[in-house]
């Protein structure tokens, strides 16, 4: 889908559809006002008749408007009653507009929605959100359908109209960022949506090589094999892959965008390409959704790729421990004790708490990059879905400044996180009678004890953990990967590139 920036009046520019806002009770946006005049009052007339819903996110399509209007359709989008929109309302409005356009018959359109006033947000932000919302609306995963049924009139081109020449560059910058984030989100969604038989650890390694091919100058990729991991002493990671016929891979992506020798941001993504639970096998219901257990890894790929596309001036390392978790005669068993790369021993009381076992070795490995900060991203605990539902990523950190940065990036991008405490009291739940620690901490506070486990391997640097179990994919009729938290991570890195150079 293409995006461009335009200036001009809504009645004069030629297009298949013009998109404008209307608020309650009967307030027309400036562009809607002009269209009303040009159509000799058609919009006000319809409003008066009650034919236009002004509720936030409700859309009304008008065909062949009256008067001297160059466009074939007008899409009116309800903006609610507030004069200044909340960022969330703007995102809702853009998304509703994109969905309505997708089923309108118009394959190209002009949007005047960036003229809406949004609290604490500038034009670049509005342009970026418009792009992200539109790309989200047109996303489809049909690579595995033998007969893909594409929409009859897909939205191919969206013009974002701004008030004057001075605003053009700002909108263009927003579009550039929006496209990169949307590409990153799409990559994360595609990888997440692929089934476990087609997205194995080796497939993820191939994906990394493909990224290297796309950005040969900026990216370096290294794939560590099981024997390399054995040499490094990664007994925890390797214990998870024992039950699988697919070899585990430790994928390392390095992006150097900062001229200086600045310490990198390291992203570590959980890449369990299928989580059956292992010997502590999961119940059958919805087990297919455990193909999404590599969405942390997918978000690292998406973010690295978007950062490379934008040529952001940051140094970034992505580390992806990739493995399956399956039962087998040779699989780890409850009670087995393994030695991690850090030297700490772990009693595996539940083989379904495998994410932390692969992450702990990856976190120890991260130390070798002398990181500025480390952020891990993982579909780690069902408990996080119970605590925060499907709206917020769980955030836990050993450094409040880093936590605050990530929380702020979540608010700005609309891809929000919520912090949970990482207190010593919780850490005590990890006691083991036989090893340095157990891999589970009992029924209560499951998200926190999982993070406490990871914290034991992240003492040497500023670290944050993002539990994306509730946000990485949707269940039910819209089942599919969301690409979260790529928008949050991109906002975080964009701001770091700006502030810290
Ligand atoms: N991948 C799961 C977490 C998960 C479960 C995410 C359901 C989203 C939906 C993880 O490996 C897991 O199985 N965690 C266990 C931990 C428990 C054994 C301490 C869980 O959450 O039940
Ligand atoms: Mn599990
Ligand atoms: Zn898992």
């Amino acid at each position: 889908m293409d995006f461009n920036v335009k200036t001009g009046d809504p009645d004069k520019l030629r297009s298949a559809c013009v998109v404008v806002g209307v608020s309650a009770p009967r307030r027309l946006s400036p562009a809607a006002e002009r269209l009303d005049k040009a159509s000799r009052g058609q919009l006000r007339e319809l409003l008066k008749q009650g034919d236009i819903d002004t509720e936030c996110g409700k859309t009304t399509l008008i065909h062949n408007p009256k008067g001297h209007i160059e466009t074939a359709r007008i899409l009116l989008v309800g903006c609610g009653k507030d004069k200044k929109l909340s960022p969330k309302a703007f995102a809702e409005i853009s998304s509703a507009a994109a969905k309505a356009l997708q089923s309108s018959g118009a394959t190209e359109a002009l949007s005047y929605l960036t003229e809406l006033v949004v609290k604490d947000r500038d034009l670049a932000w509005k342009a970026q959100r418009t792009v992200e919302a539109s790309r989200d609306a047109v996303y489809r995963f049909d690579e595995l359908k033998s007969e893909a049924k594409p929409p009859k009139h897909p939205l191919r081109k969206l013009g974002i109209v701004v008030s004057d020449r001075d605003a053009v560059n700002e909108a263009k910058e927003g579009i550039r960022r929006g496209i990169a984030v949307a590409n990153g989100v799409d990559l994360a969604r595609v990888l997440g949506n692929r089934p476990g038989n087609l997205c194995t650890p080796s497939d993820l390694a191939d994906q990394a090589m493909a990224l290297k091919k796309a950005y040969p100058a900026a990216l370096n990729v290294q794939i560590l094999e099981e024997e390399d991991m054995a040499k490094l002493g990664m007994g925890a990671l390797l214990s998870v892959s024992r039950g699988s016929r697919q070899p585990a891979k430790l994928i390392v992506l390095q992006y150097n965008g900062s001229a200086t020798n600045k310490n990198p941001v390291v992203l570590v993504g959980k890449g369990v390409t299928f989580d059956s639970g292992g010997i502590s096998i999961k119940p059958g219901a919805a087990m297919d959704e455990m193909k999404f257990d590599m969405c942390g890894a997918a978000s690292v790929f998406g973010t690295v790729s978007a950062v490379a596309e934008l040529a952001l001036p940051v140094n970034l390392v992505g580390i992806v421990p990739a493995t399956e978790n399956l039962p087998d005669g040779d699989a780890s068993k409850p009670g087995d004790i393994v030695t991690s790369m850090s030297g700490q021993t772990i009693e595996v009381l539940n083989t379904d708490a495998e994410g932390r076992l692969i992450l702990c070795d990856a976190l120890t490995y991260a130390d070798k990059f002398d990181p500025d900060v480390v952020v891990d991203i993982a579909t780690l605990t069902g408990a996080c879905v119970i605590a925060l539902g499907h709206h917020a990523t769980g955030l836990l950190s050993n450094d409040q400044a880093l936590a605050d940065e990530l929380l702020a990036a979540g608010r700005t991008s609309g891809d929000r996180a919520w912090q949970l405490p990482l207190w010593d009291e919780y850490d005590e739940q990890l006691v083991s009678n036989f090893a340095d620690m157990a891999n589970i901490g009992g029924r209560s506070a499951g998200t926190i004890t999982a993070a406490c486990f990871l914290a034991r391997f992240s003492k040497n640097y500023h670290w944050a953990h993002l539990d994306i179990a509730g946000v990485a994919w949707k269940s039910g009729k819209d089942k599919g990967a969301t690409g979260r938290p790529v928008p949050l991570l991109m906002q975080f890195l964009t701001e770091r590139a700006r502030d810290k150079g």
Side-chain angles (χ1 to χ4, degrees), residues 270 275 277 282 293 325 351-355:
K270 173 179 174 183
D275 180 14
K282 289 180 181 294
D293 212 17
N325 184 24
T351 64
D352 198 10
E354 85 297 342

Side-chain angles (χ1 to χ4, degrees), residues 231-440:
K231 276 190 204 129
L232 289 164
M234 295 184 164
L237 199 171
L238 289 170
S239 78
V240 177
S241 81
R242 282 185 75 97
S244 164
R245 313 252 173 122
Q246 295 290 336
K249 306 274 170 177
L250 185 73
I251 303 161
V252 183
L253 305 133
Q254 267 182 285
Y255 167 83
N256 281 83
S258 183
T260 54
N261 289 329
K262 273 205 53 117
N263 301 24
V265 171
V266 177
L267 302 178
V268 179
K270 173 179 174 183
V272 174
T273 59
F274 189 77
D275 180 14
S276 71
I279 297 297
S280 315
I281 199 160
K282 289 180 181 294
M287 208 210 270
D288 66 290
E289 295 189 7
M290 282 299 116
K291 73 172 185 176
F292 294 119
D293 212 17
M294 37 56 73
C295 282
S299 76
V300 171
F301 285 120
T303 301
V304 169
S305 147
V307 163
E309 179 179 340
L310 284 176
L312 273 191
V314 292
N315 291 333
L316 180 66
V317 178
I319 303 178
V320 169
T323 175
E324 292 184 322
N325 184 24
L326 293 175
D328 180 80
D330 197 36
S332 337
K333 308 167 291 295
D336 283 2
I337 293 177
V338 299
T339 303
S340 66
M341 182 182 174
S342 72
Q344 300 176 89
T345 58
I346 304 160
E347 185 184 13
V348 181
L349 287 176
N350 189 321
T351 64
D352 198 10
E354 85 297 342
R356 61 199 80 180
L357 294 174
I358 69 170
L359 289 171
C360 72
D361 280 341
L363 287 166
T364 302
Y365 188 71
D367 214 14
K368 96 182 197 119
F369 297 97
D370 197 11
D372 187 20
V373 300
V374 177
V375 180
D376 78 71
I377 307 107
T379 48
L380 203 63
T381 63
C384 193
V385 191
I386 304 301
L388 298 173
H390 301 286
H391 304 293
T393 290
L395 164 66
L396 300 101
S397 177
N398 64 13
D399 182 71
Q400 195 53 41
L402 173 60
D404 289 338
E405 255 183 83
L406 289 161
L407 290 168
R411 284 190 297 269
T412 306
S413 61
D415 181 7
R416 287 182 297 179
W418 192 258
Q419 192 174 4
L420 298 171
L422 197 65
W423 296 331
D424 295 344
E425 289 87 329
Y426 294 104
D427 182 76
E428 288 162 18
Q429 290 177 225
L430 295 170
V431 284
S432 159
N433 285 356
F434 306 105
D436 296 342
M437 70 194 88
N439 77 328
I440 53 172

